[in-house]
Amino acid sequence: MQAEEEDEVSVEEYVARSSFTGNDNDQLSFSSGDVLLVHAKTSSEWWWAELRGVKGYVPASYLLQGAQEGEEEEEEEDPWQHKEYFGSYGTLRLHLEMLSDKSRTETYRQVILSNSASLRNKVVMDLGCGTGIISLFCAQLAEPSEVYAVEASSMAEYTRQLVKQNGCEELVTVLQGRAEEIELPERVDVLVSEWMGNCLLFEFMVESVLRARDRWLKEGGVMWPSSAALSLVPCQADSYYAETMAFWEQPYGLDFTPLQPLAQQEFFTKPKFSHVIEPEDCLTAPCDVLQLDMYTLQVKDLEEIKGHFHFCVEKSGVFHGFSAWFKVQFESLQRGGAPVELNTGPNSEPTHWKQTLFMLDRPVSVHAEDAISGSISLRRNPVWRRHMTVTLHWSVNCSQVGTKSFPMWR
Ligand code: GJV
């Protein structure tokens, strides 16, 4: 707790005075007006900063010390960070990332395609439609009576053009605004959305989906996805550990180990997003630790969600941490029809979500047949509504016990 507060005090907020596109994996891309958290002024030209949970170098000259006066102050205090959130979805970068994710986009296409007959004459709402891809699939592959494509960011203006350009304006109506605020002329048969974030819930767009369900879904209507699960596995993370921690043991033949506590604080306090775990790095079979039913889940349930796990180690190795990912299921509109699944785990097609890595403070050697059990809780930040803290408790063979909380992102 103390460490977290100190961490927050040392960062400064800056506002981007113009857009910037990073030219490698170390540089952050951002848009004019984005609020960035500057963690370190590494040189006079390049600073180490964070935007929406992603860190990278940014050119200092693009930033204005901000979030102090008038308008920006509101931004700073908005627990939903709407301006920053929808601002980033007003640019192409994130939409390009999502659309380029073939497994994600093809899964939604498959859902529409395999249910095309049942979608005939149905009313559909596509919540957070972005560039409108799911709505366009509906219009192209099925014959719904109406698709309401709801998008809060300024991308909606382009989405309208894309709908027209593709000859779908008869069927698809783009509504610009937050799903919580827009009005529809009727209730819908199907509520489809791609709302999943890192570790399933990060960003908490799911709250908007649940509110829209309660307000706009017909009795007996269908939610897509219909259920979601968070999976967890104890894993090795050799190269990440070597690069961030073991590195200090003898760089250039010198002993830099006094920096290791600092390294632990800097690299292992928060989860690592966008980590790709190889199947062979999994020490056990994965376990579903949380299961959400999109029909019965309530907004208040999101405040704290708990799950348990029990793993049996399959091969000896080094237990560096836990890796998490999600899967979602889309039920068939036909009785007895097979559901479609999107799995973002290490044994499935890679997606832009990759996996999330939670590093232990100290690695633990484990052997085949060892038992790793414990619990996980996802506690939503009471102030910053898009953030949460993931707490893991674990024991190895009921003896070596550990517990660690990971803020995501505050
Ligand atoms: N109302 C309208 N559009 C929204 C809302 C909302 N409440 N929340 C998010 N969006 N899977 N984590 C839009 C957002 O602007 C973006 O275009 C898209 O939904 C996010 C979809 C992917 N994010 C995710």
Side-chain angles (χ1 to χ4, degrees):
M1 191 62 201
Q2 192 58 38
E4 195 185 327
E5 273 165 23
E6 278 166 17
D7 190 24
E8 290 308 320
V9 169
S10 62
V11 305
E12 286 177 64
E13 286 193 350
Y14 278 80
V15 180
R17 64 161 103 198
S18 57
S19 302
F20 173 74
T21 305
N23 66 4
D24 63 31
N25 280 340
D26 275 356
Q27 297 178 1
L28 275 186
S29 298
F30 51 81
S31 329
S32 177
D34 278 351
V35 176
L36 291 103
L37 298 174
V38 174
H39 288 267
K41 297 183 177 171
T42 30
S43 74
S44 57
E45 280 146 28
W46 293 95
W47 292 348
W48 183 246
E50 175 181 339
L51 177 63
R52 300 184 63 249
V54 180
K55 288 186 187 163
Y57 287 101
V58 296
S61 58
Y62 280 62
L63 304 184
L64 289 172
Q65 180 117 46
Q68 283 170 342
E69 304 148 22
E71 202 186 4
E72 295 306 339
E73 184 133 44
E74 271 167 39
E75 167 88 37
E76 193 179 18
E77 285 172 3
D78 170 14
W80 279 95
Q81 301 162 289
H82 281 323
K83 196 171 164 202
E84 182 188 355
Y85 183 78
F86 292 118
S88 64
Y89 281 115
T91 65
L92 267 191
R93 189 172 55 93
L94 293 173
H95 296 287
L96 182 59
E97 189 184 20
M98 294 186 288
L99 292 173
S100 312
D101 180 341
K102 282 238 172 67
S103 5
R104 164 200 180 268
T105 311
E106 288 290 355
T107 301
Y108 278 84
R109 187 170 186 276
Q110 189 55 42
V111 172
I112 308 300
L113 191 60
S114 59
N115 285 285
S116 60
S118 314
L119 279 168
R120 202 183 141 82
N121 292 330
K122 294 285 193 307
V123 182
V124 179
M125 167 160 161
D126 174 4
L127 195 162
C129 69
T131 50
I133 188 80
I134 301 174
S135 298
L136 292 169
F137 287 156
C138 285
Q140 195 182 53
L141 306 170
E143 295 170 72
S145 63
E146 182 76 51
V147 181
Y148 297 105
V150 181
E151 173 55 48
S153 78
S154 58
M155 190 52 61
E157 296 152 33
Y158 291 91
T159 310
R160 227 169 252 134
Q161 293 181 35
L162 300 179
V163 166
K164 199 150 186 229
Q165 192 79 12
N166 289 281
C168 298
E169 69 270 37
E170 299 275 274
L171 285 181
V172 181
T173 306
V174 178
L175 300 164
Q176 182 170 9
R178 293 204 301 120
E180 290 84 339
E181 289 163 355
I182 49 109
E183 295 292 334
L184 300 184
E186 60 188 324
R187 301 232 272 172
V188 305
D189 298 291
V190 177
L191 171 48
V192 59
S193 180
E194 192 278 87
W195 53 264
M196 301 79 69
N198 270 288
C199 230
L200 185 62
L201 292 178
F202 187 64
E203 293 177 41
F204 284 90
M205 182 177 164
V206 66
E207 177 170 332
S208 306
V209 174
L210 299 181
R211 292 189 185 284
R213 174 197 68 190
D214 294 346
R215 190 149 176 235
W216 297 111
L217 188 66
K218 282 184 197 167
E219 190 87 22
V222 165
M223 296 290 288
W224 274 344
S226 323
S227 65
L230 184 71
S231 306
L232 196 71
V233 75
C235 65
Q236 306 202 125
D238 272 323
S239 21
Y240 186 59
Y241 188 83
E243 286 158 19
T244 54
M245 189 57 72
F247 175 85
W248 308 107
E249 282 162 17
Q250 38 177 289
Y252 305 96
L254 298 166
D255 183 348
F256 272 33
T257 53
L259 294 179
Q260 283 184 328
L262 204 58
Q264 192 184 86
Q265 163 72 25
E266 202 165 319
F267 304 115
F268 298 172
T269 298
K270 289 182 176 172
K272 182 177 185 278
F273 282 1
S274 299
H275 180 79
V276 177
I277 173 162
E278 301 297 332
E280 56 270 24
D281 287 331
C282 299
L283 295 165
T284 75
C287 169
D288 289 351
V289 290
L290 308 175
Q291 193 83 45
L292 305 182
D293 177 337
M294 295 305 291
Y295 293 94
T296 55
L297 183 65
Q298 299 295 315
V299 171
K300 66 174 179 354
D301 301 337
L302 300 172
E303 295 302 320
E304 180 154 29
I305 305 184
K306 287 184 181 165
H308 294 271
F309 49 79
H310 184 85
F311 299 105
C312 181
V313 175
E314 286 173 356
K315 56 176 182 195
S316 299
V318 184
F319 173 26
H320 282 118
F322 291 94
S323 185
W325 63 87
F326 67 81
K327 41 193 187 183
V328 288
Q329 277 212 346
F330 303 81
E331 67 176 350
S332 171
L333 295 180
Q334 260 159 313
R335 214 176 246 279
V340 175
E341 185 180 77
L342 171 63
N343 186 331
T344 63
N347 296 307
S348 303
E349 284 273 290
T351 69
H352 77 288
W353 286 282
K354 302 180 183 155
Q355 288 91 37
T356 308
L357 177 64
F358 298 89
M359 291 292 281
L360 310 185
D361 286 337
R362 266 167 303 280
V364 179
S365 287
V366 292
H367 305 280
E369 310 286 298
D370 281 353
I372 300 177
S373 34
S375 64
I376 182 171
S377 90
L378 274 56
R379 196 164 33 83
R380 199 168 174 190
N381 187 306
V383 177
W384 300 100
R385 301 312 278 160
R386 295 197 186 276
H387 300 232
M388 65 184 175
T389 295
V390 175
T391 302
L392 289 155
H393 290 282
W394 67 91
S395 70
V396 180
N397 296 331
C398 306
S399 58
Q400 275 175 288
V401 182
T403 181
K404 188 168 173 180
S405 284
F406 298 84
M408 235 172 117
W409 207 249
R410 301 196 209 207

